[in-house]
Amino acid sequence: MVNGDGIYLLNGSYNVLQNLTLTSNAGSGIKIGDADDNFFTNLTVVNNGGEGIYATNGTTEIFHNTVIANSGLNGLKWQTAGGDNGTFSNFISTNNLSNGIYFDNGVYDHKFTGVLGVGNNTGVDCEMSHASQGLIDLNCTSTGADGSTSYPGETTAGSNAILRPSRNLSNAFVGKAPSDAIIPIDTSGTASFTSINADFLYWVGFENPFRAWGKFHADAPLTANHRGHCVTGQTCQIWDYSAVSGQPIYNVSGNGSSTNSAFVADAACPSVLNGNNALVSRMGTYTYLAAAVEILGDKQGNENGLCESNENCLYTPHFGSYQGSGAPNKCTFNNGTVTNVKMFGLSSL
C-alpha cells in the first residue's frame, strides 16, 4: 500500500517478478514505462486506485497466472505505439471500474493463451482500439461465449485462450481479516494509519504473505470504497488475499472451470501437469507448462519464472499469487512437449 504505484519499471528489461500481491496502492498495481522483455508470474493485483497494470510502451512482456480485480480504472491498460508482442497466459481481469482490458491506438499483436477470465467490469471486458491487437473488441472472442477460443483476424498474435466470461471475484478472497497474531496493534483486524506508521514492521509482518493493509469500509469486498490507499486520519483494514474454495480462481487452473484432480505426494502428477499441457509465448521463444511456475533461486534452468523443460517447478492450482500452504511435496511428472521437470506442490490447497 503506497501513495503511488505498487511497482514501477522504467527503462528496465529482463526483470523477473514472481509471487506478488499488489493491493491498495493509490496509483496502479504495476506500471511499466519503456521496459521490455520482463517476466511476471503469480500475481494478485486488487483494490488499486488507478489501473491494475498500466504500460506506456513495453514489448514482449510475459504475464503468467495473473489476477486483477477492483481497479479504479482499467484492469489492464496498454498505451503508446510500440508496446507490442506481449504474452498473457492464465489472465483474469474482473470487477474493474472501467474496462477489463484496454489496448490503445498503435498497440499490436498481444497473445492471450491458456485461460482468459473476464466479467463484472463497469465498462466492457475487452476494449480494442483497432484490429490486430490480439483480442476481439467488446466480447474478447468472436462470440464472447463461455469456452470460446475463436479470435478471427488475430492471426499474427495467435491468441487461443479459453474465454471464461461473467466471472465475479467479489468473494474469491478471504477478505477482511478479523485479527492477525503477528500484528500487535490491530483491533478486530483494523488500526489507524498513524499507529501502523509508527513501526515499519507493522506494514509487513503478517501471519501470511497474502495479507496487506488497505482501506476499511463496511461495504462488501471489491467495491469502490475499498479502492486506493489508506491515509492519515483513516482506519485501515487487514485484507487477506488467499483464495477461497469454490470460487472462480480456486483450483481451476486447467481450463478455468473444471476442478483440477488431486495432487498426491509421490504419485503421478495431476493431469493438468501433463507435459503436453504447454503454452507457447507470442514470439515462440518459450514453451512452458500452463499450471506451474519455475522455482527461482535453485540454480536450475534459466530463472525466468516459467516452467520449462529440465527445471524444478511449483504446481499452481489457483490463479494469482496464492498457491496453497505447507511443505512442498513431489509428484511424478509425465513428459510431453515439456520434459524432465521435477514437480512440487504445496501440501495444502
Side-chain angles (χ1 to χ4, degrees):
M1 184 180 79
V2 298
N3 185 19
D5 305 308
I7 290 176
Y8 184 17
L9 288 181
L10 178 63
N11 298 321
S13 298
Y14 297 101
N15 295 286
V16 178
L17 295 92
Q18 187 179 84
N19 300 334
L20 297 178
T21 303
L22 302 165
T23 72
S24 300
N25 297 293
S28 300
I30 297 175
K31 185 176 180 179
I32 299 170
D34 294 302
D36 305 327
D37 300 294
N38 296 291
F39 300 84
F40 305 83
T41 55
N42 288 2
L43 304 180
T44 294
V45 186
V46 182
N47 284 340
N48 293 290
E51 322 283 356
I53 297 173
Y54 178 37
T56 56
N57 212 331
T59 62
T60 54
E61 315 285 7
I62 296 181
F63 286 85
H64 178 57
N65 204 31
T66 301
V67 171
I68 304 172
N70 201 37
S71 306
L73 295 169
N74 300 281
L76 170 68
K77 181 177 181 179
W78 222 264
Q79 187 175 2
T80 308
D84 309 326
N85 300 319
T87 305
F88 300 87
S89 50
N90 289 358
F91 193 87
I92 316 295
S93 184
T94 76
N95 301 82
N96 299 292
L97 182 59
S98 190
N99 305 302
I101 298 168
Y102 172 59
F103 287 163
D104 200 2
N105 283 313
V107 174
Y108 286 92
D109 298 325
H110 290 284
K111 180 178 183 178
F112 286 78
T113 188
V115 174
L116 172 60
V118 292
N120 281 275
N121 296 295
T122 304
V124 299
D125 288 333
C126 295
E127 179 73 20
M128 301 292 107
S129 298
H130 51 74
S132 300
Q133 293 193 301
L135 298 172
I136 306 302
D137 190 35
L138 304 182
N139 293 324
C140 307
T141 65
S142 58
T143 64
D146 185 51
S148 57
T149 58
S150 177
Y151 301 84
E154 302 300 321
T155 53
T156 301
S159 293
N160 57 7
I162 302 170
L163 180 66
R164 298 302 181 190
S166 303
R167 293 311 192 245
N168 186 343
L169 301 190
S170 293
N171 298 308
F173 308 104
V174 170
K176 298 174 183 176
S179 63
D180 191 284
I182 307 300
I183 299 295
I185 59 169
D186 77 282
T187 301
S188 299
T190 66
S192 69
F193 179 87
T194 301
S195 64
I196 303 167
N197 220 28
D199 190 325
F200 171 76
L201 292 178
Y202 296 160
W203 288 106
V204 296
F206 296 101
E207 286 184 18
N208 69 60
F210 311 104
R211 290 189 169 189
W213 289 106
K215 286 185 174 182
F216 168 80
H217 197 277
D219 283 356
L222 299 196
T223 51
N225 286 315
H226 297 132
R227 297 184 186 120
H229 69 313
C230 183
V231 298
T232 301
Q234 292 183 338
T235 298
C236 308
Q237 171 73 54
I238 299 173
W239 289 87
D240 192 327
Y241 294 97
S242 303
V244 173
S245 178
Q247 293 297 311
I249 61 173
Y250 187 92
N251 200 26
V252 292
S253 60
N255 64 13
S257 178
S258 304
T259 300
N260 298 341
S261 57
F263 184 103
V264 179
D266 300 319
C269 293
S271 59
V272 71
L273 291 173
N274 186 286
N276 287 322
N277 187 22
L279 307 173
V280 180
S281 63
R282 160 68 184 89
M283 303 304 290
T285 309
Y286 306 103
T287 299
Y288 55 100
L289 292 181
V293 294
E294 181 186 9
I295 296 173
L296 299 178
D298 61 353
K299 299 182 180 180
Q300 298 290 320
N302 57 9
E303 298 290 299
N304 66 5
L306 305 174
C307 180
E308 302 163 272
S309 294
N310 305 306
E311 294 183 340
N312 298 330
C313 298
L314 180 71
Y315 173 40
T316 55
H318 316 302
F319 295 128
S321 58
Y322 176 81
Q323 297 304 328
S325 60
N329 294 309
K330 189 177 179 182
C331 66
T332 303
F333 183 72
N334 186 23
N335 287 333
T337 304
V338 174
T339 63
N340 196 29
V341 167
K342 291 183 179 178
M343 185 63 66
F344 299 86
L346 299 181
S347 57
S348 175
L349 286 177

